Amino acid sequence: MNTTMVGFDTIFLYKHQDGIWSDHADDFHNRGFLFGDGLFETMVFTKGKIRFALKHTNRLAEGMRTLSLGTEGLSQISEIEILLNEIWGDKKNLRIRWNIYRSGLGKYTPETNYVLESLQIHTFYPAPKLKEKAYISQNIHMQKTSWSHCKTLSALTYVMANQERKTKGYDEVILTNADGYVSEAGSCNMFWVKNGIYFTPSLDSGCIAGIGREVILEYFKKTNIPFSEGLFKVDELLPADQIFTSNVTGISFVKSIENKDYDSRLNEGLEGIFKIK
């Protein structure tokens, strides 16, 4: 494996029952593959550490409780950091997708709540600074469930939304829920600013509890920036002064939604949260 390249093809590592990580998969036909029965964390590895490690740990623990997944044998983020440092050292920035899925087969009813794990590893690229054109999907909607805030492997809604976006030729798709409330973007949480107040959909909209979202809300509280977290209709979004999306890779400002232009000047304070130095 050549780890000195600037970029590389996706690398998969699987944790086997003996606790050893390797690039050989014993069985692709698992419950993650068959049913989307599991969770994942998208993480940034920089300077030998997983950024926002505690937040990823806490979100994963909440997701595992919600899906009744067992934690016995589950890796610690510190173990993953050691593995990545052994392969790449602390000089490379990586995007890590940590997949956790229920073991066993069965049909819809699980045979066990034990878990298996894999890592999907890419070169890290930060979120684009600007998304030129966005639109609001009229066909694909989010659904609020007891697990909709979790990053589950069942991601067909996002697949279909981004397929539609690609077909239409846009840079971003904005999704509402079945009641018409703004929920999130195609792979990001949503924020907007109006008259100096920041707004973001609450988890009741069906959006994912994003790590980037959590970090931004903490920044607002720490710096006394006024914000509102709730349920908002599209007509409360469209008059905004500025709109941006966020995930763990950073912030992207939206330049236009269906021919309405927005302020796309970068916010150094917000961007500083995600800047890799």
Side-chain angles (χ1 to χ4, degrees), residues 202-241:
S202 70
L203 301 185
D204 287 335
S205 71
C207 70
I208 284 177
I211 298 298
R213 176 184 184 275
E214 181 181 353
V215 172
I216 290 170
L217 292 179
E218 287 183 355
Y219 172 78
F220 291 160
K221 294 173 185 176
K222 181 180 179 180
T223 55
N224 296 315
I225 293 175
F227 72 93
S228 177
E229 183 182 4
L231 294 174
F232 307 101
K233 294 284 190 176
V234 170
D235 59 8
E236 296 175 86
L237 165 70
L238 293 178
D241 301 318

Side-chain angles (χ1 to χ4, degrees), residues 117-222:
E117 304 170 59
S118 72
L119 296 176
Q120 186 177 349
I121 304 165
H122 311 261
T123 298
F124 170 74
Y125 297 102
K129 299 297 184 185
L130 188 66
K131 295 177 178 177
E132 291 280 348
K133 299 188 302 178
Y135 76 104
I136 299 165
S137 178
Q138 303 301 315
N139 302 308
I140 300 167
H141 303 285
M142 303 303 300
Q143 181 179 2
K144 173 67 171 71
T145 66
S146 60
W147 59 85
S148 55
H149 64 292
C150 303
K151 281 185 74 73
T152 71
L153 297 177
S154 307
L156 191 57
T157 299
Y158 302 103
V159 172
M160 297 306 294
N162 282 285
Q163 176 69 13
E164 179 187 82
R165 174 193 60 77
K166 182 178 178 181
T167 299
K168 289 178 174 289
Y170 283 86
D171 302 299
E172 185 58 277
V173 53
I174 298 171
L175 301 171
T176 60
N177 64 21
D179 295 320
Y181 293 107
V182 178
S183 181
E184 58 189 335
S187 61
C188 310
N189 290 113
M190 292 285 305
F191 287 86
W192 60 94
V193 191
K194 181 65 178 177
N195 297 326
I197 301 174
Y198 287 78
F199 298 87
T200 193
S202 70
L203 301 185
D204 287 335
S205 71
C207 70
I208 284 177
I211 298 298
R213 176 184 184 275
E214 181 181 353
V215 172
I216 290 170
L217 292 179
E218 287 183 355
Y219 172 78
F220 291 160
K221 294 173 185 176
K222 181 180 179 180

Side-chain angles (χ1 to χ4, degrees), residues 52-70:
F52 310 137
L54 181 59
K55 296 185 186 302
H56 285 292
T57 297
N58 291 341
R59 181 173 67 175
L60 180 60
E62 159 63 18
M64 294 184 76
R65 286 191 295 268
T66 301
L67 271 60
S68 298
L69 294 171

Side-chain angles (χ1 to χ4, degrees), residues 45-139:
F45 176 78
T46 181
K47 295 185 178 178
K49 295 289 185 179
I50 298 291
R51 186 169 65 176
F52 310 137
L54 181 59
K55 296 185 186 302
H56 285 292
T57 297
N58 291 341
R59 181 173 67 175
L60 180 60
E62 159 63 18
M64 294 184 76
R65 286 191 295 268
T66 301
L67 271 60
S68 298
L69 294 171
T71 59
E72 183 178 346
L74 180 69
S75 298
Q76 301 294 311
I77 283 188
S78 58
E79 177 188 344
I80 295 174
E81 289 175 335
I82 291 170
L83 174 69
L84 297 173
N85 274 289
E86 287 176 349
I87 301 173
W88 283 279
D90 61 358
K91 305 301 183 186
K92 195 165 187 64
N93 299 323
L94 302 171
R95 181 180 184 273
I96 311 297
R97 175 171 160 150
W98 181 17
N99 304 292
I100 299 96
Y101 46 95
R102 204 183 314 265
S103 64
L105 291 176
K107 296 184 172 59
Y108 291 124
T109 305
E111 298 173 333
T112 176
N113 288 325
Y114 291 113
V115 296
L116 298 171
E117 304 170 59
S118 72
L119 296 176
Q120 186 177 349
I121 304 165
H122 311 261
T123 298
F124 170 74
Y125 297 102
K129 299 297 184 185
L130 188 66
K131 295 177 178 177
E132 291 280 348
K133 299 188 302 178
Y135 76 104
I136 299 165
S137 178
Q138 303 301 315
N139 302 308

